[in-house]
Amino acid sequence: METSMETLNVARECLENKHFKDSINRAYYASFYAARAVLALERVDFKRHKDVIAYFNKNYVATGIFDREIGRNLARLKQKREQSDYDDFFIASKEEAQKQFDNAESIVAAIIEYMRKNNSGTII
């Protein structure tokens, strides 16, 4: 979770400094690292991003542990990050970067809350 929160702070800094594509990238990674932290509680990990997200959605979103909006926002973040990183013609606006940052912030906050309720160890 420490990596997730540090990455979210970098996303904020990129947004504030008008590095919108980088902000979208970092917002996605903050959410991805948070999802991986949940899986780590089970000692589960995957090499591919899509496998981490699929497992998280199947075992935590579909079962109602996390709201479906968390799963949708994680999928949107992944899609926007891929567009931002790989689509040469993608233009990241301030509004889009802000929206994705807000999504990441809500995902990270929900996962922190889950970990506080369900994990006797420290979060960071």
Side-chain angles (χ1 to χ4, degrees), residues 25-109:
N25 176 287
R26 297 290 79 200
Y28 164 73
Y29 274 97
S31 300
F32 174 75
Y33 296 146
R36 280 186 74 202
V38 172
L39 273 58
L41 296 174
E42 291 184 56
R43 303 209 188 295
V44 172
D45 195 16
F46 300 94
K47 291 183 181 190
R48 298 182 310 180
H49 287 228
K50 72 178 190 172
D51 295 333
V52 170
I53 293 169
Y55 187 91
F56 179 82
N57 283 332
K58 178 182 177 188
N59 292 283
Y60 292 92
V61 175
T63 60
I65 293 171
F66 289 100
D67 189 79
R68 291 198 182 275
E69 191 66 21
I70 297 290
R72 285 191 291 272
N73 287 343
L74 187 55
R76 276 189 213 108
L77 274 160
K78 183 176 183 292
Q79 177 187 33
K80 291 298 179 180
R81 194 274 304 179
E82 289 170 350
Q83 287 177 330
S84 176
D85 285 355
Y86 303 119
D87 183 349
D88 292 336
F89 301 105
F90 179 80
I91 298 173
S93 68
K94 178 181 180 179
E95 294 77 19
E96 186 64 47
Q98 182 68 57
K99 181 178 180 179
Q100 298 314 317
F101 176 80
D102 293 345
N103 287 342
E105 195 171 46
S106 69
I107 290 168
V108 171

Side-chain angles (χ1 to χ4, degrees), residues 9-28:
N9 284 331
V10 172
R12 179 182 293 112
E13 291 170 8
C14 288
L15 182 62
E16 290 169 355
N17 289 294
K18 299 180 171 81
H19 301 291
F20 303 133
K21 288 176 101 174
D22 293 328
S23 179
I24 290 170
N25 176 287
R26 297 290 79 200
Y28 164 73

